[in-house]
Structure formats: structure tokens, C-alpha cells
Amino acid sequence: MYSKNYKGRCDKRKIGKCEDVIRCYDAIMTAYVSQLEKDDEVVEVRVNVPLDDFPLGEFTTDFVCTLKDGSIKVRECVFRDKVSHPIVSKKLDASRVYWLKRGVENWGLVVECR
């Protein structure tokens, strides 16, 4: 999750499953875009989707993917050493609740491998 007005460096990419240019703000996002591009179950990818009326401020969800069966999966990217930080876990939990209230049950984390 990043602030809606994030001004840091980004890697811009274009893939067939996304209409817009994808902006990846960290290595995890960049690697996950490559996985999504190869995944036959994923038909559409939206990146940095704004969370309207989010209780913690103006943030975006990293990935919202539409699957072949019409369902949606949401993924948030986070570094392994940041998962247990109180503010990060609070934001991630709020994101999960946000998407559950909108009927999305397929919510998960993308964490880097070691």
C-alpha cells in the first residue's frame, strides 16, 4: 500500500492485461507484475487502485485482478521485515476489511522470497 500521492521513484511497464502504464514502486511489485502477466487465470490487472473513503487516509491498493471466472483478487505487496510493524499491519488489516465490505474475499499479501 502506498499513499495516493506517492512521489517516489517508480518502474513503468506496459503489459497486455492492463490498459494503463503500470507504475511499480518497489521490487516486489515489479516481480509480481511479471507473474501476473504469465498467469492464464488473470484476464485484467489494475495497479495502484485508490481506496475511496478509506478510514486511514488516502491510500491505494497495489493490485486488483479480474480472473477468468469473473471474480476479483486483491494483492498488497509488503516486505517481510515490515509486516509486523504496527502501522503497516494496521493499514493491511484496514485494506482487507475494506475489500471484504465490497464483496472481495480473495485478498492476500505478496511478500518477497529469501
Side-chain angles (χ1 to χ4, degrees), residues 27-91:
I28 300 170
M29 288 180 74
T30 302
Y32 194 59
V33 166
S34 298
Q35 283 185 327
L36 291 173
E37 190 173 22
K38 296 173 189 172
D39 189 346
D40 293 333
E41 287 297 310
V42 176
V43 294
E44 181 187 15
V45 176
R46 293 184 298 150
V47 182
N48 303 316
V49 177
L51 299 173
D52 299 325
D53 300 322
F54 193 63
L56 301 178
E58 294 186 344
F59 287 94
T60 60
T61 285
D62 295 330
F63 294 97
V64 177
C65 307
T66 305
L67 305 179
K68 276 185 180 177
D69 64 3
S71 65
I72 292 177
K73 78 174 180 178
V74 173
R75 295 295 182 263
E76 299 287 5
C77 298
V78 63
F79 288 97
R80 184 178 307 276
D81 60 341
K82 304 286 186 201
V83 172
S84 61
H85 289 197
I87 190 65
V88 173
S89 60
K90 184 176 180 178
K91 285 190 239 179

Side-chain angles (χ1 to χ4, degrees), residues 78-112:
V78 63
F79 288 97
R80 184 178 307 276
D81 60 341
K82 304 286 186 201
V83 172
S84 61
H85 289 197
I87 190 65
V88 173
S89 60
K90 184 176 180 178
K91 285 190 239 179
L92 292 172
D93 190 48
S95 170
R96 184 182 58 78
V97 169
Y98 175 92
W99 288 105
L100 279 173
K101 286 182 180 178
R102 283 151 181 79
V104 176
E105 294 181 12
N106 190 349
W107 182 94
L109 297 177
V110 179
V111 182
E112 90 275 10

